[in-house]
Amino acid sequence: QAMDYGYLTGYYHLFSWIYQPKEGTFTDEQAKVAIKNPDGSILKRGHNVWGAHTLWCPAVLGEALGKLAKLENEAGFSTFFTDCTIAGESLRDCYDPKHPLTMAQSAAALRNAVDQINKSGMVPGSERGYWYAANIVGYYEGIETIITYFSRYQGPTPKETHSGLMQNQRPK
């Protein structure tokens, strides 16, 4: 009925980040798709309000997004929102010998990942869009998301930055 009214329908997905289990380390499956450092270790992004995480390597992200988008399209959904995928954080070198990338190749791989959503027949959406995907993403949400990256809206704690009182100036 939502589509009859002219709305797109779909799910929210967070495929850019991979969260470490609360007990232990990243699983073997997580390690297979994660961005790697030059020494072969998993890139660690530290903690935020949701816990420790790493990032999907853009070289393998497209296949995962494409498969899921196809399934959701077949189920009758019309849009696929992948949070943070085109936010720029994933533009990194990856040193995994199975899926190595330079930063420039990373941008091309992220474009390809989103294009897999287009090829499924879905309308792709993402957060905080960057130039390398502007002409293939159907819509953006959170383009002005209140986050800590150079934001004037940084709270004194991560929880406040994301959901609480806002400040007009960054500390220091």
Side-chain angles (χ1 to χ4, degrees):
Q1 190 174 10
M3 287 189 285
D4 290 341
Y5 288 127
Y7 292 97
L8 297 173
T9 60
Y11 283 103
Y12 165 94
H13 303 283
L14 183 51
F15 267 92
S16 295
W17 297 356
I18 303 169
Y19 288 97
Q20 180 175 325
K22 291 209 183 266
E23 303 295 326
T25 64
F26 293 102
T27 67
D28 290 342
E29 289 301 310
Q30 290 173 320
K32 286 179 187 176
V33 298
I35 293 177
K36 303 296 187 318
N37 293 312
D39 66 2
S41 64
I42 294 173
L43 171 76
K44 297 224 176 143
R45 294 291 300 140
H47 284 274
N48 62 28
V49 294
W50 300 286
H53 69 283
T54 187
L55 301 170
W56 273 77
C57 179
V60 295
L61 184 59
E63 183 179 351
L65 294 183
K67 283 180 182 177
L68 187 54
K70 184 175 185 261
L71 288 171
E72 290 181 9
N73 183 270
E74 290 169 357
F77 293 101
S78 53
T79 186
F80 189 103
F81 183 80
T82 176
D83 197 2
C84 296
T85 298
I86 306 302
E89 183 182 29
S90 294
L91 283 178
R92 299 178 178 276
D93 297 323
C94 179
Y95 296 92
D96 190 311
K98 293 181 181 169
H99 47 81
L101 289 177
T102 63
M103 192 176 289
Q105 291 169 327
S106 184
L110 287 169
R111 272 185 59 83
N112 176 62
V114 172
D115 213 28
Q116 298 309 307
I117 299 168
N118 278 314
K119 290 176 182 173
S120 76
M122 302 281 269
V123 176
S126 194
E127 181 185 19
R128 296 191 315 269
Y130 274 70
W131 59 269
Y132 55 85
N135 66 343
I136 60 168
V137 175
Y139 66 98
Y140 290 107
E141 292 181 13
I143 214 94
E144 301 271 340
T145 300
I146 299 169
I147 54 172
T148 59
Y149 317 123
F150 311 108
S151 174
R152 65 186 180 127
Y153 301 107
Q154 182 172 348
T157 68
K159 288 181 181 178
E160 289 175 290
T161 297
H162 286 275
S163 63
L165 300 173
M166 301 302 158
Q167 299 178 4
N168 291 326
Q169 297 179 4
R170 286 177 56 89
K172 303 178 187 173

